[in-house]
Amino acid sequence: QVQLVESGGGLVQAGGSLTLSCAPSKRTFSSYYMGWLRQAPGKDREFVAAISLSLNTYYTDSVKGRFTISRDDAKNTVYLQMNSLKPEDTAIYYCAADYSLLDVTTARPDYWGQGTQVTVSS
């Protein structure tokens, strides 16, 4: 049962930018850690970024300085601004929510969406 809905994926050239958005379809996630995961073809799903209620942010090393996660609890939406995209960023990106930061950062959240495809061409 999908509870998070992602949007904003697409095809972009290397060096370009995209902004992903995530909103819940049925409930508010204002009390949760929110995050983004991704899964590239033939690889396991991996953690990308997370944000706490107090707006502390966490990133995997490969996206630090290029990606920015943010949340607007009034709009019940979380965003992932992706700059300087590289072909290795190509993946399906999933929005995630959990009470546990550890579960988000280890790609085992209680809630996640159906994903949005991001393709970066070289």
Side-chain angles (χ1 to χ4, degrees), residues 36-101:
W36 290 91
L37 313 175
R38 67 185 179 187
Q39 187 167 20
K43 295 187 177 181
D44 292 334
R45 191 166 58 181
E46 65 174 358
F47 166 72
V48 176
I51 187 167
S52 71
L53 297 175
S54 56
L55 306 183
N56 292 321
T57 56
Y58 311 85
Y59 299 94
T60 192
D61 286 346
S62 63
V63 309
K64 286 180 180 177
R66 300 188 298 121
F67 290 11
T68 302
I69 188 171
S70 61
R71 66 191 292 167
D72 185 338
D73 288 337
K75 295 183 179 180
N76 216 20
T77 303
V78 62
Y79 305 94
L80 185 68
Q81 173 69 43
M82 305 185 294
N83 298 327
S84 302
L85 282 161
K86 304 175 181 180
E88 50 264 44
D89 294 318
T90 295
I92 299 174
Y93 283 71
Y94 299 90
C95 182
D98 202 294
Y99 281 127
S100 165
L101 175 62

Side-chain angles (χ1 to χ4, degrees), residues 7-19:
S7 61
L11 173 64
V12 64
Q13 289 188 332
S17 299
L18 281 175
T19 300

